[in-house]
Amino acid sequence: VLAPDVNESGYKFTVVGERRLRFGLGAIRNVGHSAIDSILKARAEKPFTDLFDLCERVDLRLCNKRVFEALIASGALDNLGGHRAQYAAVLDSALQEASLKQQEAAVGQFSLLGGSEETASVQAPRVLPNVASLTESERLTKEKEILGFYISGHPLEPFRVESELFATHTVSQLGKW
């Protein structure tokens, strides 16, 4: 079972390979059905390239800051080229920029510098801030809050060798007594 991904996950668990199962977006806390519908509709056109692209293409009336924070904490944006601390640091500016673009498009306003659909795609790439990534403990704690369990690791993993030395039984042997 793989972590959720905005470019591969559906509402429920999604089969993405012969032996791979992608965690469903519907199982992420604070991400509602209408927000997922907006994400899936935008993704149907083409995959998301980064957080800014995601913010610009989804309906921000349905996908608010809390939804994006949940997507970041769950690891659903991990395959977009950055890490969770970078996404968290740039989220406010990405949402403000996307909101402004959506408002301008709604009233039919274009930039004086030739801001049409054709020139919008030739935009300078946005750079994520250079911030330290979350510690494994922080990442796993947030994952547990949002998903209900650990998906990208486990807090006891560093102690695997010690626990195997002192354990008398494995979990699979517990019901066989």
Side-chain angles (χ1 to χ4, degrees):
V1 176
L2 303 172
D5 187 316
V6 292
N7 281 326
E8 288 188 343
S9 294
Y11 186 78
K12 296 182 178 184
F13 284 82
T14 308
V15 177
V16 291
E18 219 174 283
R19 302 194 66 163
R20 296 177 7 170
L21 189 66
R22 196 53 91 174
F23 200 84
L25 297 174
I28 302 173
R29 288 189 182 112
N30 302 328
V31 180
H33 201 287
S34 57
I36 295 168
D37 287 342
S38 178
I39 292 168
L40 296 179
K41 181 180 175 188
R43 183 180 78 196
E45 299 169 16
K46 64 179 183 175
F48 300 111
T49 57
D50 60 15
L51 175 64
F52 292 93
D53 180 43
L54 175 65
C55 291
E56 289 172 11
R57 292 176 40 208
V58 299
D59 187 346
L60 293 179
R61 295 170 296 177
L62 304 173
C63 297
N64 58 23
K65 182 177 179 180
R66 193 172 185 175
V67 169
F68 286 102
E69 289 172 340
L71 290 172
I72 291 168
S74 70
L77 306 181
D78 286 355
N79 292 331
L80 296 181
H83 58 76
R84 298 176 195 187
Q86 288 175 312
Y87 295 137
V90 78
L91 179 60
D92 285 333
S93 62
L95 287 173
Q96 286 176 344
E97 186 178 316
S99 178
L100 181 61
K101 285 184 179 183
Q102 288 184 9
Q103 288 172 359
E104 289 174 353
V107 296
Q109 182 179 348
F110 295 100
S111 169
L112 292 175
L113 302 174
S116 65
E117 286 296 321
E118 293 82 26
T119 58
S121 63
V122 188
Q123 188 176 18
R126 299 170 193 113
V127 179
L128 293 172
N130 187 14
V131 295
S133 59
L134 299 174
T135 65
E136 185 165 353
S137 174
E138 291 171 326
R139 189 190 75 225
L140 291 174
T141 300
K142 290 183 181 198
E143 253 179 44
K144 175 83 164 138
E145 281 177 29
I146 294 296
L147 299 175
F149 59 93
Y150 306 106
I151 198 159
S152 66
H154 196 278
L156 296 179
E157 188 63 34
F159 308 105
R160 177 182 292 274
V161 174
E162 290 87 352
S163 63
E164 288 174 353
L165 287 173
F166 294 107
T168 58
H169 296 82
T170 63
V171 173
S172 62
Q173 296 170 332
L174 292 179
K176 296 180 181 178
W177 289 353

